[in-house]
């Protein structure tokens, strides 16, 4: 009886100064033999429709991905299949074929479930969509491991899949990836950084030229009935540390989010609201606001960044859902004209300028009364304190003058 065994594990690739980038490991086995093994990172950009607009959802292949044992197979017909399942009904499938001397990915299949509101908020369909690409461009010599650390994007239907840090092999002679490698063209044009040893000194990330103050963008979300449920105005600047493909070292880059190139999406709820900003399908910044029904307060509890910039050696992903920024009262807006730096993770922080948000209790198309940040309050107090100090100094001078004048008169006697 045929037995297909599947294994999903986590592979960690670490770079100095960047932290660890997770790659999912998936295996397809038949009996005691492994026929397909992959180690890869993947991000998905999927375009979908809402009742009023078109949005783009960005997903990172999670380390909880497992192999679908019913669909995956070593292929009695010579065409093995690997199908990974993740999230609420999403799958990524790779089918292989061989010419005898080499193997290749014959088809890439992506299936996504539009009823998953955590990924596709406001989708006007609950269909399960399947898209297929027969032009993947992954091939290697038999009995070698295909290796491609560089990001490679495959267009499939209305979506794109970006692979990175990839090693895979099909038609395997053993249970481990072959030591001999077939290297992709992108890696051949990139010099690999030498490994870090105990004697190697860690260098500070090289900063880039500051881009200046970002323009203020205006963003809003609407409920299903068409009423505005979230308002936001802010200038946003991303401070990201990543491994540069061209410089072969860790760099620190400041990037301004450009409002006229940025689309907004998200969802509103009684206790949570999510605002997703996407710039040119290569940068997705998500905000999660949380409301406390007891205290009638809300705050920014989560920030996630997905980026695939041209010079990144691998796509960048950072997330923190335990934050406590931008605190205000339900039904009021939070306002901060001063520059703020919101630390998210060691490799990513967010600078905000001229910010005003209201994720809950929006009753009109305008912001409610604002609760101002401490920095704005301090800046308002400075002229008051200076004015009071000057007034006090004038009063002291005046009192001293009057006392001196009185004493001078006291020195004369009436004859």
């Amino acid at each position: 009886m045929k037995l297909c065994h599947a294994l999903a594990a986590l592979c960690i690739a670490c770079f100095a100064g960047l932290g660890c980038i997770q790659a999912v490991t998936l295996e397809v086995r038949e009996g005691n033999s492994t026929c397909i093994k992959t180690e890869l990172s993947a991000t998905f950009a999927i375009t979908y429709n809402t009742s009023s607009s078109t949005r783009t959802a960005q997903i990172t292949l999670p380390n909880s991905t497992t192999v679908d044992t019913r669909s995956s197979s070593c292929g009695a017909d010579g065409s093995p299949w690997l199908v990974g399942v993740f999230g609420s009904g999403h799958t990524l499938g790779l089918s292989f074929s061989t010419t005898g001397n080499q193997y290749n990915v014959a088809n890439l299949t992506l299936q996504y479930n539009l009823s998953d509101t955590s990924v596709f908020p406001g989708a006007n369909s609950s269909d399960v969509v399947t898209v297929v690409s027969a032009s993947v461009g992954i091939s290697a010599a038999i009995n070698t491991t295909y290796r491609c650390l560089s990001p490679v994007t495959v267009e499939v239907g209305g979506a794109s899949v970006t692979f990175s840090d990839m090693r895979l092999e099909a038609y395997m002679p053993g249970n481990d990836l072959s030591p001999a490698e077939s290297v992709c063209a992108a890696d051949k044009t990139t010099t690999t950084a030498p490994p870090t040893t105990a004697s190697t000194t860690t260098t500070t990330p090289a900063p880039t030229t500051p881009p200046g103050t970002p323009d203020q963008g205006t963003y809003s979300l609407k409920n299903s009935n068409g009423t505005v449920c979230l308002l936001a105005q802010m200038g946003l600047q991303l401070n990201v540390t990543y491994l540069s493909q061209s410089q072969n070292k860790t760099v620190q880059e400041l990037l301004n989010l450009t409002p006229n190139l940025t689309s907004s999406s998200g969802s509103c709820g009684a206790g949570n609201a999510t605002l997703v900003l996407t710039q040119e399908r290569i940068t997705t910044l998500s905000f999660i606001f949380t409301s406390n029904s007891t205290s009638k307060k809300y705050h920014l509890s989560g920030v996630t960044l997905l980026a695939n910039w041209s010079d990144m050696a691998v796509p960048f992903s950072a997330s923190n859902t335990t934050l406590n920024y931008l605190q205000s009262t339900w039904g009021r807006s939070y306002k901060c004209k001063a520059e703020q730096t919101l630390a998210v993770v060691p490799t990513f922080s967010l600078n905000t300028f001229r910010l005003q948000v209201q994720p809950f209790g929006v009753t009109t198309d305008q912001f409610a009364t604002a609760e101002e940040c401490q920095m704005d309050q301090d800046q308002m107090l400075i002229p008051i304190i200076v004015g009071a100090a000057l007034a006090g100094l004038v009063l002291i001078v005046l009192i001293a003058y009057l006392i001196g004048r009185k004493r001078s008169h006291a020195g004369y006697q009436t004859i």
Side-chain angles (χ1 to χ4, degrees):
M1 177 179 175
K2 182 188 293 186
L3 173 64
C4 183
H5 176 74
L7 169 68
L10 179 66
C11 177
I12 304 293
C14 295
F15 298 92
L18 183 62
C20 290
I21 298 171
Q22 298 179 346
V24 178
T25 299
L26 303 170
E27 294 183 19
V28 177
R29 294 178 182 171
E30 188 172 290
N32 295 323
S33 300
T34 301
C35 59
I36 303 174
K37 185 172 183 177
T38 67
E39 296 173 356
L40 57 85
S41 299
T43 56
F44 309 90
I46 303 172
T47 302
Y48 68 101
N49 295 320
T50 68
S51 57
S52 59
S53 64
T54 300
R55 300 177 182 176
T56 301
Q58 293 229 7
I59 315 171
T60 299
L61 188 70
N63 57 29
S64 58
T65 302
T66 58
V67 173
D68 185 347
T69 57
R70 296 171 300 175
S71 302
S72 300
S73 168
C74 286
D77 59 352
S79 301
W81 264 93
L82 166 66
V83 179
V85 181
F86 59 97
S88 299
H90 314 300
T91 66
L92 172 67
L94 299 175
S95 70
F96 296 84
S97 63
T98 180
T99 61
N101 294 323
Q102 70 173 22
Y103 63 91
N104 62 80
V105 176
N107 289 291
L108 182 152
T109 303
L110 175 64
Q111 179 178 287
Y112 52 92
N113 181 11
L114 290 173
S115 66
D116 183 358
T117 57
S118 64
V119 177
F120 304 104
N124 61 2
S125 170
S126 58
D127 293 343
V128 175
V129 180
T130 301
V131 287
V132 180
S133 174
S135 178
V136 182
I138 295 177
S139 63
I142 286 289
N143 298 337
T144 68
T145 297
Y146 174 83
R147 190 205 77 184
C148 199
L149 304 181
S150 303
V152 175
T153 300
V154 179
E155 299 293 334
V156 48
S160 65
V161 183
T162 300
F163 294 108
S164 62
D165 193 26
M166 174 186 279
R167 299 176 77 237
L168 65 80
E169 186 175 3
Y171 306 97
M172 298 173 63
N175 291 333
D176 294 322
L177 293 173
S178 298
E181 293 182 333
S182 294
V183 181
C184 69
D187 280 7
K188 289 179 181 178
T189 59
T190 303
T191 304
T192 304
T196 302
T197 64
S199 60
T200 302
T201 302
T202 301
T203 58
T204 302
T208 56
T209 305
T213 302
D215 293 334
Q216 185 187 51
T218 300
Y219 313 100
S220 64
L221 296 178
K222 293 183 178 181
N223 282 317
S224 56
N225 58 10
T227 59
V228 176
C229 59
L230 183 148
L231 295 169
Q233 288 183 340
M234 50 194 169
L236 297 171
Q237 187 177 78
L238 311 177
N239 187 346
V240 182
T241 301
Y242 64 90
L243 186 66
S244 167
Q245 182 171 284
S246 62
Q247 300 182 50
N248 236 348
K249 63 180 180 180
T250 300
V251 298
Q252 183 179 6
E253 183 171 356
L254 291 174
L255 176 76
N256 291 345
L257 217 60
T258 306
N260 61 2
L261 300 177
T262 302
S263 61
S264 62
S265 60
S267 60
C268 300
N272 292 280
T274 301
L275 174 64
V276 181
L277 303 179
T278 303
Q279 180 170 293
E280 298 183 313
R281 298 185 67 176
I282 60 172
T283 305
T284 298
L285 180 65
S286 301
F287 300 88
I288 301 175
F289 297 90
T290 302
S291 175
N292 188 314
S293 58
T294 303
S295 64
K296 299 298 181 182
K297 298 283 187 178
Y298 67 82
H299 67 280
L300 176 66
S301 59
V303 174
T304 298
L305 174 65
L306 298 175
N308 189 17
W309 303 342
S310 59
D311 193 39
M312 286 180 168
V314 292
F316 181 88
S317 175
S319 182
N320 190 336
T321 56
T322 60
L323 305 176
N324 194 24
Y325 296 128
L326 316 187
Q327 302 174 40
S328 187
T329 304
W330 201 91
R332 294 190 176 188
S333 63
Y334 174 91
K335 187 175 184 179
C336 197
K337 294 180 180 178
E339 177 184 353
Q340 296 183 100
T341 297
L342 311 182
V344 181
V345 295
T347 54
F348 168 53
S349 61
L350 180 66
N351 302 327
T352 69
F353 303 78
R354 305 180 310 283
L355 177 144
Q356 188 169 8
V357 296
Q358 187 176 349
F360 301 101
V362 178
T363 56
T364 67
D365 292 347
Q366 304 294 324
F367 288 106
T369 303
E371 292 186 357
E372 307 217 2
C373 65
Q374 188 62 48
M375 285 184 288
D376 282 4
Q377 294 178 23
D378 293 344
Q379 289 180 359
M380 292 174 63
L381 285 174
I382 289 174
I384 297 174
I385 294 172
V386 172
L390 290 174
L393 182 60
V394 171
L395 182 60
I396 291 172
V397 172
L398 179 60
I399 292 173
Y401 168 76
L402 292 175
I403 292 174
R405 190 167 180 270
K406 184 176 181 180
R407 286 179 176 176
S408 66
H409 281 292
Y412 297 95
Q413 301 292 328
T414 302
I415 300 177

